[in-house]
Amino acid sequence: MKNRKLLMIPGPIEVDPSVLRAIGEVTTSHVAPNFIECFGNSIELMRKIWQAPYGQPFIIAGSGTLAMDMAVCNLIEPEENALVISTGYFGERYKNILTTYGAKVTVLQAEIGEIVPLEEVEKELSSKDYKLVTITHVDTSTGVLNDPQPIAEIAQKYNTLTILDGVCATAGEISKQEEWGIDVVLTGSQKAIGVPPGLALFVVSEKAMNVWKNRKNPVQNYYGSFTNWLPIMKAYEERKPSYFGTPPVNLIRALEVSLNLINNEGIENRIATHLVYAKAFRKAIQKIGLELVPKKEDEAANTMSAIYYPEGIDGNQFIKGISEYGVILAGGLHSEIKTKYFRVGHMGAITKSDIVVTLSAIEFALAKQKYKLTIGESIGTFLENL
Amino acid sequence: MKNRKLLMIPGPIEVDPSVLRAIGEVTTSHVAPNFIECFGNSIELMRKIWQAPYGQPFIIAGSGTLAMDMAVCNLIEPEENALVISTGYFGERYKNILTTYGAKVTVLQAEIGEIVPLEEVEKELSSKDYKLVTITHVDTSTGVLNDPQPIAEIAQKYNTLTILDGVCATAGEISKQEEWGIDVVLTGSQKAIGVPPGLALFVVSEKAMNVWKNRKNPVQNYYGSFTNWLPIMKAYEERKPSYFGTPPVNLIRALEVSLNLINNEGIENRIATHLVYAKAFRKAIQKIGLELVPKKEDEAANTMSAIYYPEGIDGNQFIKGISEYGVILAGGLHSEIKTKYFRVGHMGAITKSDIVVTLSAIEFALAKQKYKLTIGESIGTFLENL
């Protein structure tokens, strides 16, 4: 019998079999013509999926946190002001990154499960000269979804650069980098992009590239410096060999395959499917009496859900029970409510069947702890709402 | 017919089929019990292969350059003195990394194809208070091999930390971190470790970890900071779940498989084989009148060879010709002699047959340009000398 569990955490996620085949292809040279074509093509596909026709894509070996780090260390200079709009754990992370590079950081902290009101953002941005503002599109720790568009509009009004942490969002949530005027949109390969972990991916606007070019101080980070990587990205796009650090050939081949899958499906269709599945999943969960961490429906992510355990349910036993039914879910991450909730990823190449199996495991794991529910009810609700 | 070329560059290299199968296994959670075991086991295997029983291993998503960067940014502080013993392109790189973090850098530059005499190293280290010295074990740009042991001995005498860039050496050249007293030995996954590119790998001595713990200034780099990664490495080794950035699950699974292959063979045997193959390969190359970039036999790497084109041979045509015979070799990398030489990798999981095919391609590509040689002569010399 097959003996593997369905991976339904908010990244890494289930990936398409063709992506796994691609990562296992025989490793070629980083300057072999077929790999140069693969890298160049991936850069071009990123522009389409990011909806950033004039942006500069970067593909770097590292985790999503490296993408967060690179966006900041290349754009901020010591003593400059930076604003963090925090909806959880990853807002806190941006504060730490900015502090490392000498920025003066102000954090607008949302209540757990809520977003920061736009008025507060505008009030803060108008109060002093902010170099940049960071927004977490979906905070993986709370499942809260920000709408980046109005924030970007305000930021442009005050001439502040915008960095959108799209780690749990890009290619799963509506995001229009060029149209919305966002300066950096970043993610990791293992989220809605649908590739195993190991790639930091981001696109930088022309405006932000100019800000970087006109820095007064050198970038305080070697591996993450645009100076080292920009010529490499340009060379691959021009289909020319080049070298700074050896690119992760197998992962980039897998990336090309997954970006092609998304592009062939159409990024708008791919995102629309996420919205439909997520809405139906939330209804299913609520039908059996569970409550989401995000307090409002339109502030709940479509790539993942953070869900409170009902009263009387032991979290460790629940996650263990889920695993016995063949599904891997994630526990809490936000320190203040860590033991009170769990997280489900529903992004990328997942199918309706994956969600049905997950709901079934949730039902049985709850029932095992004497939680009262009608078995099958959440599944019915999910399928009815597709 | 099979339609792929043999990859004989100094990294990425041919990897064992079992390693490719491992990288293509279905992605699991970074906190799933089987992955925690895989990560913990890889850390323990690194200590054996590095011959560093008390060292702290790190496994991070990134290229070998990230390993170089992390070694420096965690150990150096602004205004401290650092010495670079440079035998090519990668010595130059260390100068740039050290400068990024505010070090005062002195470079001892070897002539191309030579090493820096020990007397010069001692003279320099005795002249002022050096915090650290960097050594390139094998410079991939010149194929020059340093003997790290006597340098480490001198460095210890002057209480200077040693960083050994083992990117093109670790698991292919003799290296005894604990016995020699080297503070950091670093590499990338795609070299003699035998895994596709995408992992920065290094082991830090207890002494260096203490130096880091007692820093006066914070580390100027976020993604590369030991503060973020040390608890993760410790947790995985203790077989406990933890999270900072999502580890590249598939690459680490491949790493475990390759480290096991090396460990089962025995690191000493694995290295001895490299020495035998490399010596026979050099004799073969010299037999047909080609000259190595390293000027002395015992300063020539055993993981790769840098070889001058004979007079009258056009480099581009030669590399193209090699490719037509089904082998990928690398051109020059060192700016001063870039068009005058080529590079062959012979490390990791390669076989005698791979080298025979490579020699055959070299012979035919030379003959095509009217170079005078007896076809088969280098192959005979290689096999006779095994």
Side-chain angles (χ1 to χ4, degrees):
Chain A
M1 306 292 278
K2 287 197 295 183
N3 180 24
R4 81 163 188 92
K5 295 178 199 289
L6 192 66
L7 188 61
M8 296 296 285
I9 64 174
I13 61 167
E14 290 286 315
V15 309
D16 195 272
S18 62
V19 173
L20 279 183
R21 281 196 299 276
I23 200 177
E25 281 175 17
V26 174
T27 308
T28 187
S29 165
H30 52 296
V31 292
N34 57 345
F35 179 69
I36 292 176
E37 177 56 34
C38 160
F39 202 132
N41 192 30
S42 300
I43 287 176
E44 289 165 2
L45 285 163
M46 275 179 69
R47 278 210 196 83
K48 289 187 189 173
I49 288 160
W50 263 246
Q51 301 179 53
Y54 312 110
Q56 176 59 56
F58 287 82
I59 301 172
I60 315 279
S63 78
T65 298
L66 176 67
M68 295 174 72
D69 195 15
M70 286 181 70
V72 158
C73 76
N74 285 285
L75 294 178
I76 202 79
E77 304 203 36
E79 303 300 318
E80 287 179 336
N81 296 314
L83 181 63
V84 172
I85 302 176
S86 176
T87 40
Y89 183 93
F90 292 92
E92 190 61 25
R93 171 157 298 184
Y94 246 137
K95 189 185 95 183
N96 295 335
I97 296 176
L98 283 156
T99 306
T100 301
Y101 300 103
K104 292 184 188 161
V105 188
T106 304
V107 179
L108 291 177
Q109 181 68 57
E111 295 293 315
I112 291 174
E114 297 181 10
I115 62 167
V116 175
L118 278 180
E119 310 80 69
E120 277 187 42
V121 174
E122 172 133 28
K123 193 177 151 200
E124 193 54 49
L125 283 177
S126 66
S127 73
K128 55 185 158 185
D129 193 19
Y130 275 104
K131 174 70 168 283
L132 61 82
V133 55
T134 71
I135 310 154
T136 315
H137 201 162
V138 168
D139 198 296
T140 317
S141 74
T142 56
V144 167
L145 172 72
N146 263 303
D147 182 357
Q149 185 176 18
I151 302 175
E153 222 173 279
I154 298 171
Q156 281 169 310
K157 188 167 147 190
Y158 296 101
N159 200 24
T160 299
L161 295 172
T162 42
I163 297 179
L164 182 62
D165 171 358
V167 167
C168 200
T170 306
E173 300 283 359
I174 298 168
S175 180
K176 301 178 177 185
Q177 183 167 3
E178 172 68 22
E179 191 182 317
W180 295 354
I182 297 182
D183 293 296
V184 183
V185 177
L186 63 92
T187 189
S189 52
Q190 79 281 11
K191 304 282 182 169
I193 294 294
V195 174
L199 293 175
L201 305 168
F202 53 99
V203 177
V204 184
S205 72
E206 287 180 293
K207 183 176 152 201
M209 289 307 293
N210 281 327
V211 168
W212 163 74
K213 274 176 206 145
N214 294 309
R215 283 179 69 94
K216 293 183 290 287
N217 303 287
V219 172
Q220 267 181 231
N221 177 317
Y222 184 77
Y223 182 69
S225 170
F226 287 174
T227 311
N228 293 323
W229 291 111
L230 180 62
I232 307 305
M233 299 304 134
K234 289 196 163 170
Y236 276 114
E237 186 159 14
E238 290 163 8
R239 307 303 195 262
K240 288 179 190 158
S242 66
Y243 169 72
F244 169 64
T246 307
V249 172
N250 296 54
L251 275 167
I252 294 175
R253 178 70 187 109
L255 175 69
E256 186 193 21
V257 169
S258 197
L259 293 177
N260 262 325
L261 287 176
I262 297 171
N263 193 49
N264 292 342
E265 192 174 329
I267 179 65
E268 310 242 328
N269 296 333
R270 169 65 73 113
I271 291 168
T273 305
H274 277 78
L275 268 54
V276 169
Y277 283 9
K279 196 173 174 185
F281 179 76
R282 287 192 294 267
K283 280 195 196 299
I285 282 295
Q286 285 159 341
K287 182 74 181 177
I288 53 171
L290 271 55
E291 200 188 319
L292 293 165
V293 174
K295 290 182 185 157
K296 292 183 186 166
E297 170 75 14
D298 63 351
E299 291 166 9
N302 298 296
T303 48
M304 62 162 288
S305 295
I307 304 160
Y308 285 112
Y309 298 120
E311 235 189 276
I313 295 295
D314 176 280
N316 283 336
Q317 286 305 315
F318 174 80
I319 295 286
K320 230 177 113 182
I322 290 280
S323 172
E324 281 162 17
Y325 291 107
V327 178
I328 307 182
L329 296 187
L333 179 60
H334 194 294
S335 56
E336 286 174 46
I337 53 170
K338 198 168 170 140
T339 59
K340 295 184 180 159
Y341 75 115
F342 66 102
R343 296 174 301 146
V344 181
H346 35 76
M347 61 187 132
I350 54 149
T351 63
K352 288 188 279 272
S353 310
D354 294 336
I355 297 179
V356 165
V357 169
T358 304
L359 286 168
S360 157
I362 291 172
E363 286 184 355
F364 274 85
L366 289 173
K368 214 174 161 185
Q369 290 193 44
K370 316 283 180 215
Y371 181 76
K372 285 216 172 351
L373 82 169
T374 311
I375 292 293
E377 203 171 22
S378 73
I379 296 173
T381 306
F382 173 68
L383 293 172
E384 277 161 25
N385 279 281
L386 288 182
Chain B
M1 306 292 278
K2 287 197 295 183
N3 180 23
R4 80 162 188 94
K5 295 178 200 288
L6 192 66
L7 188 61
M8 296 295 285
I9 64 174
I13 61 167
E14 289 286 316
V15 309
D16 194 272
S18 63
V19 173
L20 278 183
R21 281 195 299 275
I23 199 177
E25 282 175 17
V26 174
T27 308
T28 187
S29 165
H30 52 296
V31 292
N34 57 344
F35 179 69
I36 292 176
E37 177 56 33
C38 160
F39 202 131
N41 192 29
S42 300
I43 286 177
E44 289 165 2
L45 285 164
M46 275 178 70
R47 278 210 195 83
K48 289 187 189 174
I49 288 161
W50 263 247
Q51 301 179 53
Y54 312 111
Q56 175 59 56
F58 288 82
I59 301 172
I60 315 279
S63 78
T65 297
L66 176 67
M68 295 174 72
D69 195 15
M70 286 182 70
V72 158
C73 76
N74 285 284
L75 294 177
I76 202 79
E77 303 203 37
E79 303 300 318
E80 288 179 337
N81 296 313
L83 181 63
V84 171
I85 302 175
S86 176
T87 40
Y89 183 93
F90 292 92
E92 189 61 26
R93 171 157 298 184
Y94 247 136
K95 190 184 94 182
N96 295 335
I97 296 175
L98 284 156
T99 306
T100 301
Y101 300 103
K104 292 183 188 162
V105 188
T106 304
V107 179
L108 291 176
Q109 181 68 57
E111 295 293 315
I112 291 173
E114 297 181 10
I115 62 167
V116 175
L118 279 179
E119 310 79 69
E120 277 187 43
V121 174
E122 172 133 28
K123 193 178 150 199
E124 193 54 49
L125 283 178
S126 66
S127 73
K128 55 185 158 186
D129 193 19
Y130 275 104
K131 174 71 168 281
L132 61 82
V133 54
T134 72
I135 310 154
T136 314
H137 201 162
V138 168
D139 198 295
T140 318
S141 74
T142 56
V144 167
L145 172 72
N146 264 303
D147 181 357
Q149 185 176 19
I151 302 175
E153 223 172 280
I154 298 171
Q156 281 169 308
K157 188 167 147 190
Y158 296 101
N159 200 24
T160 299
L161 296 172
T162 41
I163 297 178
L164 181 62
D165 171 358
V167 167
C168 201
T170 306
E173 300 283 359
I174 298 167
S175 180
K176 302 177 177 185
Q177 183 168 2
E178 173 68 21
E179 191 182 318
W180 295 354
I182 297 182
D183 293 296
V184 184
V185 177
L186 64 92
T187 190
S189 52
Q190 78 281 10
K191 304 282 181 167
I193 295 294
V195 174
L199 293 175
L201 305 168
F202 53 99
V203 177
V204 184
S205 72
E206 287 180 293
K207 183 176 151 200
M209 288 308 293
N210 280 327
V211 168
W212 164 74
K213 274 176 206 145
N214 294 308
R215 284 179 67 95
K216 292 183 291 286
N217 303 287
V219 172
Q220 267 181 232
N221 177 316
Y222 184 77
Y223 183 69
S225 170
F226 287 174
T227 311
N228 293 323
W229 291 111
L230 180 61
I232 307 305
M233 299 304 135
K234 289 196 163 169
Y236 275 115
E237 186 160 14
E238 291 163 8
R239 308 302 196 262
K240 288 179 189 156
S242 67
Y243 169 73
F244 169 64
T246 307
V249 172
N250 296 54
L251 274 167
I252 294 175
R253 178 69 188 109
L255 175 69
E256 186 193 22
V257 169
S258 197
L259 293 177
N260 262 326
L261 286 175
I262 297 171
N263 193 49
N264 292 343
E265 192 174 328
I267 179 66
E268 310 242 327
N269 296 333
R270 169 66 72 113
I271 290 169
T273 306
H274 278 78
L275 268 54
V276 169
Y277 284 9
K279 196 172 173 184
F281 179 77
R282 288 193 294 268
K283 280 195 195 300
I285 282 295
Q286 285 159 341
K287 182 75 181 177
I288 53 171
L290 271 55
E291 200 188 318
L292 293 165
V293 174
K295 289 182 186 159
K296 292 182 184 166
E297 171 75 13
D298 63 352
E299 292 166 8
N302 298 295
T303 49
M304 62 162 289
S305 295
I307 304 159
Y308 284 113
Y309 297 120
E311 235 188 276
I313 296 295
D314 176 280
N316 284 337
Q317 286 304 315
F318 174 80
I319 295 285
K320 229 176 114 182
I322 290 281
S323 172
E324 280 162 18
Y325 291 108
V327 178
I328 307 182
L329 296 186
L333 179 60
H334 194 295
S335 56
E336 286 175 45
I337 53 170
K338 198 167 171 143
T339 59
K340 294 184 180 159
Y341 75 115
F342 66 101
R343 297 174 301 146
V344 181
H346 35 76
M347 61 186 132
I350 54 148
T351 63
K352 288 188 279 272
S353 310
D354 293 336
I355 297 179
V356 165
V357 168
T358 304
L359 286 168
S360 157
I362 290 172
E363 286 184 355
F364 274 85
L366 289 172
K368 214 174 161 184
Q369 290 192 45
K370 315 284 180 215
Y371 181 76
K372 285 217 170 353
L373 83 168
T374 311
I375 291 293
E377 202 170 23
S378 73
I379 295 173
T381 307
F382 173 68
L383 293 172
E384 277 160 26
N385 279 281
L386 288 182

